[in-house]
Structures are given as structure tokens and as C-alpha cells.
Amino acid sequence: MKGTWEGERDPLAALRRGEPALFEAFVEREAATLIGFFARLGAARDEAEDLAQDVFLKLYRHADTYEPRSAFTAFALRVARNAWIDRRRRRAALPPTRSMHAPESGEGEGLEADLAADPSVEGGADPGRRSVLRDEGFALARALRTLSPNHALIFELAVVQRRPYAEIAGELGIPVGTVKSRVFNALRRLRALLEEGDPRS
Amino acid sequence: MKELPEHTHTSGEDLLELLFEPGPRSAQLLARARTCERCASEIVELERTLAAIDAALDREPASTDLTVFRSRVLSMTTREDLRLIGDVRIVLHYVTRELKASRALRLAAASLLLHLLVLPVLIWLVLRGGPDNSSSGTPRDHAPELPLSGAPIDPRREPAPAAKDKDDAKRAAAALDPSVATALAAARRALLAAGAPSLDPDLGDPDPISRLLAARAERIRLGAWMHLLREPPPRAQALERALWAELLLDDCALAGRADPRLARALSALEEVSRAATPGARLAQRAIDRARAYGLLDAPASGAGVQPTARAALQPFDPAWFDLLEAATAGAQATRTVERWLEWGRGARVRPR
């Protein structure tokens, strides 16, 4: 998360007090964070928006019964993670309609599609650098989809959001050593996949 | 953070944590680790990986899209529009999203839209083909086909609904007494073919006889009479009662159904038709005409109109005009009565 949403700045606690401004600021600030989170996990752009919207709606509707026992950021990310797991379960329950070698419907389009449409990648001044960035971006997007939900969540908190390990451990209720090893394993796996090229090959 | 040992080898997990943790202490420890070839190589690899990840992950969706997204979320939460239009907006968003997601749904929606567009055109085409929508013509052209109601016509009944289509009319005709049907059809043809005397511009004529004659002309020429007519009072003359009955009989022949007032009009005629005056004889003619239309039973004596003569009994014939002239001779003839008598004398309207 980009902002600080703990303590007095807890958006749901503020909603319970009848102050919607903090929740609106939370939506304003973290919309891109949540959409990016789902896109990195492999959701297509539209689906990532839908999932992010569902997370905001769940949080908002949960405000009446919300008790700030833990950090709000961790709570919001747990809701996001559960939304992603539910989405994967729904997808798994659907009958397969595509080739085994084809990516899951809706996946392989998220970050890759963003990269393909990103003018900073496509329109850079150096064609060689542009190509490298684009290739690395595609490979990384594919590699990220191979992470388990737990590793993906840790990766999101540690690598993307650069939150201290101790804080992540406290939020997720796991030892710091576990956080440290999961982050390193996730990164090592990504590095290996990037070195191999296409992780599906 | 645990203290790194003096020796050069440091685990990858610790090096990664140092890379994530900014500050002079981390920088110092990393600098020390870089002096070891193995650790330095690990640090370079980690930095390369993180740089590649940052290059890919730092790309955020376009701000314009996010503006729409944020507005949508807020409109469903803190700024929810509780009016009907807010619900409509949410439903539209849902429908749009589902349509984008499913090709089958798009096909179904397109099919539904096509049907909804075609349906009004079909309805219009069907209605356009109906008899009531002929584009031009005189009021005569709009006269309903006979017979339009079930038969035989009973003036004591409430008016039956008009036949909905030609098949209904044919079935009703088949159920009608053939001689009655013939009489009605002949009367209708005669009324339509004869036209009627031109209307007296002075429609405000207070004389009840004139008003009744004008109403007959209007019914024949325009399809309805404009005057506000009341049933003749109990003490009305035979002529007035006869003309009132004739008007309702014209209406019955043209519309194919009997006005509820016709039963009372015919009943009243019975009382005044026994005299030998012209008015009484006109009343008797109206009674005969009603019998020809099947509205009254034949008298027990058999003195009524014979079935074979029914078709020949016309609404207007020289005898009727002679009786009208005789009945109005004693009174001061109004302009309307004069027109009717002139029309009756004309060769072209003499009955065939």
C-alpha cells in the first residue's frame, strides 16, 4: 500500500465514526495498488478492476462490524488475497475450454497486456533498451503467475510494497524467518524462471 | 537485524533483507559483503532481479482509467446514489460488464433487440391492412360490413361487440336468418347508395321532426348523428315516434347491431300505429321494417311482412315519402322537411 492506514487513519474505523473521507482517500490512493496486485497475479485488466472493486465493496460493507484488532493494511490485503483465491476456485470449477498449453482464460493478459500497451516501453528512445524492457516485463509477468497465493502475497508486501519483514510477519501472523525465506524463495524462483526464458517451456 | 559476522560469506536471505532495508547500517554491511566475491555476485544477481521486477511492476494503469474506476467505486460506497437513477447506473454497469464478458450474451441481446425493433413494424403492417385504416374515402367507405354481430338481432339485448375480423362476420352471417340478412343487406345498400338529402345548414332547427330528419341524414352521410336527441316523450305524435324508430333502424342496418333504445321505440309504436292517420301509417311501416330485420316476431294473425317481401322493404320508397308529405302537410313545413320531400321526389332516389 502506498499510504499509511493504521491507527487514527484506519479507513474502516473512520467509517464507523461516520467519517467517509478517509475511506475515499484510501480508494483514491490504493486503487492502482489493488488493480496492479491482481494484474500481477495474472488477472486481465478488466478482471483486475472487478476484483479490486469487490475488495473495496467488501471492506466498505464490513465497516459496521469491523473491529481494528490488527493492522488495516494487512486486513485489506487478506481480503484481496481471499478474493483472488475465490476467483481461482471459480475458474477451476469451470469446464476447460482451451488447450492445455494455452494460458488460463483471462490470465496471461494482465501485466503482459499492460506492458504491451505501455508507451514507456513501446515508445522509448533506445530500441534496444525498449526491447529488453519489454521482454523482461513479459517474462516476469509469466513468472509471477507461477507463484502460490501465499508467496504472491508475501512478494507483494515485501518486494512490491517494500514493507519491513517484521511488519509483514506481524500482519500475517507468521515468524520473521518464514517471511524472509518465502521472499527469498519467491525471488529465486522468479530469477530462475527469468533466466530460463519462458517458464512454460 | 542480527549482526553479520566478519567473514565474507552471507546468506542470500540476509543479503536480500539488507537490500530492502535502507539506512547507513545496511549500506555498511552490504559494502562489507561486496568484498567477498561470492557474496558480491549474489548481490549483483539480486539487484538485477529486483531492477527487472521494478521495471515491470512500477507500471501503473493509465490515470484516466483509474479516475473512472475510482468514481465507480465511490458511487457504490460512500457516494452511493440512493435514487432510482443510481440503481439504474449500477444495473447498466453490470449489464455492460456481463455483455463484454460473454459472446453468447451479446448474441442473445442482439437477437432480442432485433425482435423488439421488428415487432412494432409487424404490428404496424398488420394494423395498416385493417379495414378501418383505409387512407381515403367518404364516410360511407367506413361503414362496417354487415352483419357485424351475432344474429338474430334482439333489440332487448345490450349491443353485442363488433366482429373482430372477417371470419367472425362470415360466421355471424351464416347464423343469421337468410331472409333477415337479405333485408339488412338490402337496406344497408339502399342507405349507402341513396346518400341522403343535403344537410340543412340551419341545424339548430328546434322542430323535433326536422331534428330527426337531419339526424337520419347525418347518420347516413357521416356515420353518426350530431344532434343530441332524446327519446320522444310519451305524448309525442306518431310521426315523431315513427321517425325516431326509423333513425334507430337505419343505425341498426348500418352498424349491424341494435341500439338498446330501439326496443322501447318499437314498443311505443305499437300504441300509435292503430289509427288511420299518415303518422300512424308511418309508424306501421317502421314496425314492418323492424320485423323484416328480425327485431320483432311476426303477429299471430300472420298479417306482418312476409319473408319473401322483406328484402323488398326499403328504408325509402315513394310510399314512405308520400306518407311523410301527408303527415307534415298540416303543419308549417320547415326547410329540412322541404329538402327531404324534394329529395324524395327526385327520380334518382326513387326506389329501384
Side-chain angles (χ1 to χ4, degrees), chain A residues 107-131:
Chain A
E107 291 189 351
E109 299 169 355
L111 193 56
E112 289 164 276
D114 284 349
L115 288 168
D118 194 328
S120 68
V121 174
E122 294 293 334
D126 181 355
R129 173 68 180 153
R130 203 170 60 205
S131 174

Side-chain angles (χ1 to χ4, degrees), chain A residues 2 24 28 40 45 49-50 53 57 60 115 118 121 140 160 162 165 180-181 184 187 191 195, chain B residues 12-14 16-17 20 45 49 53-54 56-57 59-61 65 69-70 72 77-79 97:
Chain A
K2 292 175 181 172
E24 293 182 358
E28 188 75 22
R40 284 188 285 277
R45 174 59 195 263
E49 283 194 7
D50 288 343
Q53 177 180 300
L57 292 182
Y60 180 78
L115 288 168
D118 194 328
V121 174
L140 179 67
V160 178
R162 300 290 165 89
Y165 284 2
K180 191 185 288 187
S181 65
F184 183 73
L187 207 64
R191 186 168 65 188
E195 284 173 357
Chain B
E13 293 176 8
D14 288 335
L16 184 59
E17 186 180 8
F20 282 152
E45 282 301 315
T49 307
I53 290 169
D54 286 343
L57 298 187
R59 292 179 179 80
E60 290 189 350
D65 291 345
F69 173 80
R70 288 167 181 143
R72 196 168 70 226
T77 54
T78 54
R79 298 177 194 174
R97 192 178 68 176

